[in-house]
Every structure is written in structure tokens, then in C-alpha cells.
């Protein structure tokens, strides 16, 4: 089995962060979320992995992810054909690379906890043409929704229905026999929005082949919105073990620094007076803290400075500076951004340079 990880799209719901950063490279638990997908496929023994990227992004993505050797996999980078024509076309674009092998399609902006092994075992044990993962959600109308008949049999997938036929959503995990996928692709047409829908692919296989599914409980998150990103970050931090929660020996700190719970701290950090860190949290390299409270479910990227401030349940990216008497909560702060006290200069007031699609609460 090979794996194709979808890492394209424009991440419009995550702007302004995604104006300058592919959404799959947004850090969760202080590493690009795409790395979580690499770890999951490697853990089930899949070694040949292709990353589907937007046109023109191969060099950038390769510079971040490399050749895959750090996870024991071999990475290939494939540009999406034809632009934004729907995720249903991703495997068709990769058909020459996949050849006749079975394939796992994995959406790279999905956070998955636990193992993929049960899903793969079901595919082979039941000799399926396709296998899907469903999860119960409060808002299925935002996703592809499975429909079942009176006998509880899966009959089709409906994409973003106004009236959902069930309370489940299909996750970004699909396994296919490639000949059956190609047959399905040849027999569907673009939807009203001009895209090849993965729901139509799946519905065709349900009607003309052997399709199965597994209902997952509590270990999947689609990180398509800022709130979902923070929840994904929280999920991964909660998974951090005591063995992973380490403090680098190069840390310089004063006596009144307190570290409570599972906290991972990188190298060459400098902590001044009045620092309290409560886990689960991850602190990157070269971070400077002074009179700072870093609360649970927070990640600070490399080179972040926090002084006279608190940060709780937030993602702070590389090189950002926070200097304010307030506590930052439920926030995503981009690389090299500055958050500071409104009263530090004259005239006193709230200054801001706010980009398109930003969100502020003041």
C-alpha cells in the first residue's frame, strides 16, 4: 500500500495566517501539522508516500519536509493537476505514481490520534474496494455525510447536505483499490461548484463495488478553522508523554521559575523572574520569558519572547513578541508578529495593522 497525503488548498478560513503559509505547515505541538500525517502512515508500515501540493509549492514543501527519511518513509512531491478542481481528482493526478497499488488517501490538515491499523485491517480482511472512516459530529452539514437505509446499510455519501441524513461525517481517511477508484472517477462529473467531489467517488463505489466503513470515536479533528486548529493543538499536547516532556540542559533560569506538569522546553532558552509554565505545553528553542505565565495547551515557537504577559490555550509562531499586561487566550499569533501594551507610546490608544480576514477582540 502507498499513501497520498493531500496538502494543497488555500486555507481561506485560516487567513491571514495562510496568506503567507501553507495551512498544512501551521505548527501544532510546535511542528508542522503535516508531520503528524507522516508519523501515522509510517507507524503502519507504509513507506512510499506522495504529497499532493498546490502548483508552484513543491520546492517550498520539500524544503520543510525533506525526503521523509526522518520518519523512515520516502517522500515524493506531486503538483495538483488543473488547479482547484476538487479532492476527488487528487488520486487521478497521482495515478502514474500509484500504478496498480492499493492507496491510502489522507487529508494532511486532519489531526488523527491512535493508529490507522484497524482501518487498514478491515480493508484487507473484508476484501474491500474502498474503506472509509466516519466520526460523529455536531455539524455534519459541513462535511460529506453517509446515508444508511432502513437495514443500516451504507447507500451513499452526500456532500454538505442542508438536511444531513445521519449525524456522521466522513473524515479525511480513505483506502482504495486503484482500478475501482479510476472506474469511479471515469463515471462522475464535476459538481455544481465545478469540482470532482470525493463524496461522488465514494457513492459510486458503494453502488458498484464493495465498500466498508469504520466509525471512529474521539480521535479525529479537521483543522479547517482557527478554533479547530487550537483544538487540534490541544489534542496533540494531551498525547505528550512524560518521557517526551523534557527540559533541555541549556536552559538558563532564575530561582523563581516554576514548571508544572508535562512541559517540553527546547535549547538555549532564557527565563527571567516570575515565570510559571503549566503543561501540557511545548516551548521552542531560544525562547525568552520574563514575568510570564504560559498556561496549558500553549505552544511557543522558536525565538518567541513573552514578557509581563500570560498566554493560555494558544499557538504562538516563530519569532513573535508579546509584551502586554493582558492574558492572551484562545489565539493564533503568526511568525514575527508583535503584541504589545497600547499605553507604551503616545498618543495612548489601541494601534493595529489588521490584514484581510483578521479577527480582533479588544
Amino acid at each position: 500500500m502507498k499513501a497520498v497525503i493531500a496538502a494543497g488548498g488555500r486555507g481561506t478560513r485560516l487567513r491571514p495566517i495562510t496568506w503567507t503559509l501553507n495551512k498544512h505547515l501551521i505548527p501544532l505541538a510546535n511542528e508542522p501539522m503535516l508531520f503528524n500525517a507522516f508519523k501515522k502512515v509510517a507507524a503502519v508500515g507504509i513507506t512510499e508516500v506522495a504529497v499532493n501540493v498546490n502548483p508552484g509549492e513543491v520546492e517550498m514543501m520539500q524544503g520543510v519536509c525533506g525526503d521523509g527519511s526522518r520518519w523512515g518513509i520516502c517522500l515524493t512531491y506531486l503538483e495538483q493537476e488543473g488547479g482547484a478542481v476538487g479532492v476527488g481528482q487528487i488520486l487521478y493526478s497521482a495515478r502514474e505514481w500509484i500504478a496498480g497499488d492499493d492507496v491510502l488517501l489522507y487529508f494532511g490538515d486532519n489531526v488523527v490520534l491512535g493508529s490507522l491499523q484497524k482501518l487498514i485491517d478491515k480493508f484487507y480482511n473484508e476484501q474491500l474496494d474502498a474503506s472509509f472512516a466516519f466520526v460523529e459530529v455536531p455539524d455534519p452539514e459541513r462535511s460529506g455525510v453517509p446515508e444508511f437505509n432502513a437495514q443500516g446499510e451504507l447507500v451513499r455519501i452526500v456532500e454538505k447536505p442542508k438536511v444531513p441524513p445521519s449525524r456522521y461525517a466522513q473524515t479525511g481517511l480513505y483506502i482504495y483499490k486503484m482500478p475501482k477508484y479510476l472506474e469511479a472517477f471515469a463515471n462522475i462529473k464535476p459538481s455544481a461548484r465545478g469540482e470532482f467531489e470525493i463524496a461522488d467517488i465514494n457513492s459510486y463505489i458503494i453502488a458498484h463495488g464493495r465498500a466498508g466503513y469504520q466509525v471512529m470515536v474521539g480521535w479525529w479533528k479537521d483543522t479547517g478553522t482557527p478554533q479547530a486548529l487550537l483544538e487540534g493543538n490541544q489534542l496533540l499536547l494531551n498525547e505528550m508523554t512524560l518521557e517526551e516532556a523534557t527540559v533541555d540542559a541549556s536552559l538558563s533560569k532564575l530561582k523563581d521559575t516554576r514548571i508544572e506538569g508535562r512541559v517540553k522546553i527546547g535549547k538555549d532558552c532564557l527565563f527571567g523572574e516570575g515565570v510559571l509554565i503549566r503543561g501540557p505545553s511545548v516551548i521552542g528553542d531560544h525562547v525568552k520569558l520574563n514575568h510570564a505565565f504560559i498556561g496549558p495547551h500553549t505552544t511557543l515557537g522558536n525565538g518567541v519572547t513573552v514578557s509581563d504577559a500570560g498566554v493560555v490555550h494558544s499557538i504562538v509562531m516563530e519569532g513573535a513578541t508579546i509584551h502586554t499586561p493582558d492574558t492572551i487566550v484562545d489565539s493564533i499569533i503568526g511568525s514575527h508578529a508583535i503584541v504589545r501594551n497600547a499605553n507604551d507610546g503616545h498618543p495612548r490608544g489601541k494601534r493595529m495593522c489588521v490584514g484581510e480576514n483578521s479577527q480582533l477582540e479588544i
Side-chain angles (χ1 to χ4, degrees):
M1 180 178 288
K2 294 177 179 176
V4 174
I5 298 179
R10 299 301 175 186
T12 55
R13 292 179 293 172
L14 295 171
R15 290 172 180 168
I17 299 295
T18 50
W19 281 124
T20 55
L21 182 68
N22 182 297
K23 70 175 179 178
H24 301 86
L25 300 181
I26 293 174
L28 298 182
N30 247 16
E31 62 180 17
M33 71 171 80
L34 197 55
F35 289 11
N36 183 56
F38 297 152
K39 293 175 184 178
K40 293 303 176 183
V41 298
V44 292
I46 297 175
T47 58
E48 293 185 75
V49 181
V51 184
N52 176 272
V53 302
N54 295 319
E57 290 189 353
V58 168
E59 185 175 349
M60 177 273 296
M61 193 69 74
Q62 192 168 19
V64 174
C65 303
D67 62 2
S69 57
R70 74 180 88 174
W71 302 283
I73 60 179
C74 179
L75 287 179
T76 298
Y77 297 88
L78 303 173
E79 287 191 355
Q80 173 69 17
E81 293 180 0
V85 290
V87 295
Q89 197 209 24
I90 289 174
L91 296 185
Y92 182 79
S93 296
R95 62 194 181 280
E96 293 183 4
W97 178 82
I98 299 168
D101 292 317
D102 300 328
V103 61
L104 166 68
L105 175 60
Y106 190 133
F107 289 4
D109 59 352
N110 282 202
V111 172
V112 177
L113 306 182
S115 174
L116 304 176
Q117 194 63 56
K118 287 184 178 180
L119 189 66
I120 293 173
D121 289 345
K122 183 180 183 69
F123 177 77
Y124 284 117
N125 292 340
E126 299 183 13
Q127 298 182 343
L128 300 174
D129 294 313
S131 186
F132 318 126
F134 300 151
V135 65
E136 187 173 350
V137 295
D139 51 355
E141 65 276 1
R142 295 181 57 245
S143 308
V145 180
E147 181 178 338
F148 304 92
N149 62 20
Q151 290 73 43
E153 299 168 328
L154 179 63
V155 295
R156 63 171 180 158
I157 308 293
V158 187
E159 184 66 24
K160 296 182 174 62
K162 292 182 179 180
V163 181
S166 73
R167 63 183 184 275
Y168 297 105
Q170 60 180 10
T171 70
L173 294 167
Y174 313 88
I175 303 177
Y176 299 103
K177 286 196 173 300
M178 198 58 187
K180 181 58 72 171
Y181 164 86
L182 290 174
E183 176 189 326
F185 185 82
N187 283 278
I188 68 168
K189 296 180 180 180
S191 65
R193 60 178 182 170
E195 296 187 1
F196 292 97
E197 306 289 356
I198 196 73
D200 292 341
I201 294 283
N202 296 340
S203 292
Y204 179 91
I205 297 176
I206 292 167
H208 299 89
R210 289 180 54 82
Y213 68 91
Q214 184 174 357
V215 176
M216 308 301 181
V217 180
W219 57 260
W220 170 82
K221 190 67 186 177
D222 178 359
T223 59
T225 65
Q227 183 59 39
L229 264 182
L230 292 171
E231 291 178 23
N233 191 55
Q234 177 179 333
L235 285 172
L236 292 178
L237 289 175
N238 284 340
E239 288 286 292
M240 183 170 59
T241 65
L242 287 173
E243 290 75 18
E244 294 171 321
T246 57
V247 178
D248 193 275
S250 63
L251 171 65
S252 299
K253 61 180 180 178
L254 298 181
K255 291 182 179 180
D256 62 346
T257 293
R258 292 163 53 196
I259 300 173
E260 302 175 355
R262 290 166 293 141
V263 178
K264 182 177 181 180
I265 300 177
K267 62 184 180 182
D268 297 322
C269 293
L270 178 62
F271 294 176
E273 297 180 346
V275 173
L276 170 59
I277 305 174
R278 285 188 177 143
S281 296
V282 177
I283 311 297
D285 301 334
H286 309 288
V287 170
K288 296 180 181 180
L289 303 178
N290 190 58
H291 292 289
F293 169 53
I294 308 302
H297 303 121
T298 297
T299 58
L300 304 182
N302 296 340
V304 165
T305 297
V306 180
S307 58
D308 300 309
V311 186
V312 179
H313 195 257
S314 295
I315 299 170
V316 184
M317 299 186 194
E318 180 179 5
T321 298
I322 300 175
H323 177 71
T324 174
D326 297 318
T327 298
I328 306 298
V329 299
D330 298 341
S331 298
I332 302 171
I333 298 175
S335 299
H336 306 286
I338 298 174
V339 180
R340 60 187 177 189
N341 189 352
N343 295 321
D344 280 349
H346 294 286
R348 291 186 176 180
K350 302 186 185 301
R351 300 173 183 83
M352 59 197 73
C353 179
V354 182
E356 184 176 346
N357 299 112
S358 295
Q359 298 180 39
L360 296 180
E361 294 184 16
I362 59 176

